[in-house]
Every structure is written in structure tokens, then in C-alpha cells.
């Protein structure tokens, strides 16, 4: 029996994400002192000493980009085919396979202790920080203080702020190095402060759970999170299925609506290679992220465990699919319902190079379509007589290649 209910690590990373970069046109910082004065007593009750509070909150100004990012989370605002094209591209698959080899010994021991397989752990790592290449650069206390005083979900972020201050107070990380995502998530696999306090593991037994500086600690902590969220080593997360046209109503089914295998068999569902559903299929829900027209998946409890890491189905699918690809699995068999599929990071860099050649100031060619790239995309869309929305897919890339 579990006393602990998994709560989302929420809005974790996507640090190298083009979407956060697009939230840079934000208002100027505001003085947080009036709001923070009201939080001092609850902070004391939560174990933050007066000295810690004074040292780390005096004179704190807000970080407007944190609030802007909260309102534009890509998991909820980006078409799923764009989201997955970036998070599960060939580069991330190749780098992940290299990481599986490099860290094989640690991953084998993590699997033995927590019962979560190497590909799943590495997939979380790849999506959260691009295998340690981007942790985020926001001072965590400042970002969380801002979100405790402005925007939605202030009560949630106050709990995280107090935890962040307890972490600094306990000396886990020097305050000046305690940086992470706009939402306060940090390290290789982007734990929120309360998640760190509950679940961080000192896997190499050096006396410190160092999720920023030590890969073994970070990978073990991730596996610990998934195990506590109900991961079953004997099961898969789910798999893509064929659904006979019209066999399942467009609404009423989903990840949470778990049904017996016999139910799905009676409706004619099969695996995408045409084979029967597995004989021992556990209770499973039918998830169709883009409705009846796109890929469909039967998902089990392991998908829910990944979902609890960052409560968005698109996020869960990115992790689950990347893990399958790391094991040698194929891209989805069914196309997304769009005539303009999304771009990988390599294709985004190609697009940026083409925009540069056409005289647009897009800044650095980095594969992240930020403010300047979007302005250039809009200019090209207008010139082509297309709808001007700033989104770039295969159609724009192919068109510019032919000019
Ligand atoms: Ca350690």
C-alpha cells in the first residue's frame, strides 16, 4: 500500500524548447516584497528559518518570463505532431542509444534496485534535459517566488518555494548554483523541490543526492519516482493499435477508462502489424491524442506512471515512444491527421538556415524557433500568400528549399 500519491512533477523542463524562448516579450520585473512579507510566517511554519528567508528573499524582483511560460506550456498549446517531431527525433534516438551504452552499468544496477528498465529511464532523461545538456538557467528561488505571487496555481508554487528554501538551507546545493526551469524543476531529470525531498536518491553513496552533478543519482532518482508511481517491470506502457473504422465512439474512451482485453477484442482492435492483442493483456485504456483520425494506443498502468511525471498525455507519449525507439522500435504506423507534419530539430536548423539566406535576422541557428524565427516565418507565409500563424512544418521547409 502506498501512503504517497504521485503528484505531477509538473511543467518540468523542455529547457531547450523553442516554446519557452517565444515567451521572451514579457513585462518588466516587479518588486515582490509585499507578497513575500505575507509568506514569511507560512514559510517559518514550513521549516524555513528566518535567516534563510532573509538571505534569499530580501529585495527579490519577479521573473516575468516564468509567468509567461506558465501560460504557454507547449504540452497543452502545441499540435501533438509538432511536439513529438521535436522530442522524438533521430538525434534524440541516436544520442539516447549512446547514453544507454555509456551508462550501461549504472542503468543495470538501477533496474535491479527499482525495477525500471534502462530505456525508460534514459527516455525521461532525454526529454527532460536532452541527456544533461540543458538544465535551465532560472534561479529557482526567484522563479518560484514569482509564481507564488503571480499567475495561476500560487498555492502549489508556494509549497515548492518553501521546499526550495529548505533545500538551500540544508546545503544540498549552493544558492547561486540552484538554477533550473522557469517552474523550479532542476537537474538531469528536472525534479521539483518537493519531489527532490521525497524521492531523490544518493545512488553512488557519497553522502549527497546530487541531481545536477551526478548522473547516477539522477537516473536512480527518476527510477525511484516511476517505481513509486506504480511502474510494473513486467509490463509495457502500451502500444499502437488498429481500430476498425467506427468501432469506438469518438468520445467516452481515454487513458483513464481501463477495460478488459475481451472488450477491446470484441470491437476488433488489433496491433498495428495486424496481429491479435496479447493473450495476457492487462486492463487498458484507448488513447487517441488527435481523435479517431490519428494514431491510437492501448495504454496500461505504466503509461500512467510516466504521466504522473508531468501531467500531459503528449508528454507521456513522448517518453513512452522515445523509450520504444531506444529499444529499436519503429515510428508510429499511423500518420497524424495533418497535411503538414512537424519538423525535427535538424529540420528546424535547415529552415533557420534558409531564412537566414533569405535575409531574415533569426539570431542563432539553434533548432529552437523563438521570437525572431517566428517573425521570419510569418514574413515568408505572408509573401507566399499563406495563412500567417508563425508555425513551420514540412510544407514551408520544402517550399523554401525549392526557391
Ligand atoms: Ca551521490
Amino acid at each position: 500500500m502506498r501512503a504517497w500519491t504521485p503528484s505531477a512533477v509538473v511543467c518540468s523542463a523542455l529547457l531547450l524548447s523553442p516554446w519557452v524562448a517565444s515567451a521572451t516579450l514579457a513585462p518588466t520585473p516587479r518588486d515582490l516584497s509585499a507578497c513575500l512579507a505575507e509568506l514569511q510566517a507560512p514559510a517559518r511554519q514550513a521549516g524555513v528559518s528566518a535567516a534563510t528567508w532573509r538571505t534569499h528573499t530580501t529585495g527579490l524582483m519577479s521573473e516575468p518570463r516564468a509567468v509567461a511560460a506558465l501560460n504557454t506550456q507547449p504540452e497543452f498549446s502545441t499540435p501533438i505532431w509538432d511536439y513529438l517531431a521535436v522530442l522524438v527525433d533521430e538525434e534524440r534516438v541516436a544520442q539516447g542509444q549512446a547514453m544507454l551504452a555509456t551508462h550501461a552499468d549504472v542503468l543495470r544496477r538501477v533496474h535491479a534496485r527499482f525495477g525500471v528498465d534502462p530505456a525508460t529511464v534514459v527516455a525521461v532523461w532525454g526529454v527532460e534535459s536532452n541527456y544533461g545538456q540543458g538544465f535551465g538557467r532560472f534561479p529557482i528561488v526567484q522563479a518560484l517566488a514569482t509564481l507564488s505571487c503571480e499567475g495561476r496555481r500560487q498555492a502549489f508554487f508556494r509549497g515548492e518555494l518553501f521546499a526550495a528554501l529548505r533545500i538551500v538551507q540544508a546545503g544540498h546545493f549552493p544558492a547561486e548554483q540552484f538554477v533550473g526551469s522557469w517552474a523550479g524543476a532542476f537537474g538531469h531529470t528536472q525534479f521539483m523541490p518537493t519531489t527532490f525531498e521525497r524521492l531523490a536518491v544518493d545512488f553512488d553513496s557519497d553522502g549527497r543526492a546530487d541531481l545536477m552533478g551526478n548522473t547516477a543519482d539522477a537516473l536512480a532518482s527518476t527510477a525511484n519516482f516511476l517505481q513509486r508511481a506504480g511502474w510494473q517491470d513486467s509490463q509495457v506502457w502500451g502500444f499502437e493499435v488498429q481500430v476498425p473504422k467506427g468501432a469506438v465512439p469518438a468520445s467516452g474512451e481515454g487513458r483513464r477508462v481501463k477495460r478488459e482485453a475481451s472488450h477491446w477484442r470484441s470491437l476488433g482492435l488489433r496491433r498495428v502489424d495486424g496481429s491479435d492483442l496479447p493473450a495476457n493483456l492487462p486492463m487498458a485504456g484507448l488513447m487517441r491524442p488527435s481523435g479517431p483520425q490519428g494514431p491510437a494506443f492501448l495504454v496500461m498502468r505504466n503509461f500512467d506512471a510516466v504521466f504522473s511525471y508531468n501531467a500531459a498525455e503528449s508528454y507521456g507519449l513522448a517518453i513512452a515512444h522515445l523509450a520504444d525507439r531506444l529499444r529499436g522500435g519503429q515510428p508510429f504506423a499511423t500518420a497524424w491527421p495533418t497535411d503538414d507534419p512537424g519538423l525535427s530539430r535538424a529540420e528546424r536548423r535547415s529552415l533557420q538556415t534558409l531564412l537566414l539566406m533569405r535575409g531574415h535576422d533569426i539570431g542563432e541557428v539553434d533548432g529552437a524557433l523563438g521570437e525572431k524565427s517566428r517573425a521570419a516565418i510569418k514574413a515568408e507565409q505572408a509573401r507566399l500568400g499563406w495563412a500567417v500563424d508563425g508555425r513551420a512544418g514540412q510544407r514551408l521547409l520544402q517550399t523554401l528549399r525549392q526557391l
Side-chain angles (χ1 to χ4, degrees), residues 119-327:
T120 299
V121 173
V122 168
V124 173
W125 189 22
V127 167
E128 289 293 342
S129 71
N130 198 21
Y131 310 110
Q133 293 174 61
F135 291 173
R137 298 199 185 101
F138 290 91
I140 286 174
V141 170
Q142 183 196 17
L144 289 172
T146 302
L147 296 169
S148 295
C149 293
E150 299 179 3
R152 300 179 285 120
R153 307 191 65 199
Q154 291 179 16
F156 167 80
F157 285 111
R158 287 173 185 188
E160 297 298 333
L161 172 65
F162 300 158
L165 289 165
R166 286 193 300 265
I167 289 169
V168 172
Q169 181 172 281
H172 290 292
F173 304 100
E176 66 279 7
Q177 290 170 26
F178 197 34
V179 296
S181 80
W182 58 267
F186 61 95
H188 283 276
T189 52
Q190 297 285 291
F191 270 31
M192 291 295 284
T194 57
T195 311
F196 174 88
E197 290 187 322
R198 274 200 316 267
L199 297 171
V201 174
D202 173 19
F203 197 63
D204 69 347
S205 304
D206 69 346
R208 227 183 125 205
D210 183 3
L211 304 194
M212 293 205 264
N214 186 296
T215 307
D217 287 358
L219 297 178
S221 299
T222 298
N224 189 32
F225 181 102
L226 291 172
Q227 183 198 47
R228 296 282 292 271
W231 185 271
Q232 296 289 303
D233 196 25
S234 58
Q235 293 183 15
V236 297
W237 63 269
F239 45 82
E240 190 181 353
V241 291
Q242 294 174 357
V243 181
K245 200 170 168 58
V248 182
S251 63
E253 303 295 339
R255 175 180 65 85
R256 290 190 194 82
V257 188
K258 301 286 199 291
R259 300 185 190 278
E260 301 280 354
S262 57
H263 173 79
W264 299 122
R265 277 195 200 94
S266 73
L267 297 177
L269 269 64
R270 308 181 76 78
R271 300 194 67 138
V272 280
D273 64 3
S275 62
D276 291 336
L277 299 182
N280 58 349
L281 182 72
M283 299 281 283
L286 179 65
M287 190 175 82
R288 293 186 287 187
S290 60
Q293 301 306 317
F297 308 90
L298 280 180
V299 296
M300 282 82 86
R301 61 186 294 175
N302 282 357
F303 188 87
D304 297 333
V306 173
F307 180 89
S308 71
Y309 210 94
N310 184 355
E313 286 184 356
S314 53
Y315 172 89
L317 193 59
I319 301 279
H321 186 45
L322 179 57
D324 281 352
R325 295 292 311 276
L326 293 177
R327 297 182 193 104

Side-chain angles (χ1 to χ4, degrees), residues 351 355 360 370-392 396:
L351 174 69
L355 292 170
H360 298 285
E371 214 55 64
K372 288 179 170 178
S373 292
R374 288 190 188 279
I377 290 163
K378 285 181 180 175
E380 289 298 323
Q381 287 173 325
R383 193 184 55 75
L384 290 162
W386 298 0
V388 176
D389 62 4
R391 174 189 175 264
L396 183 64

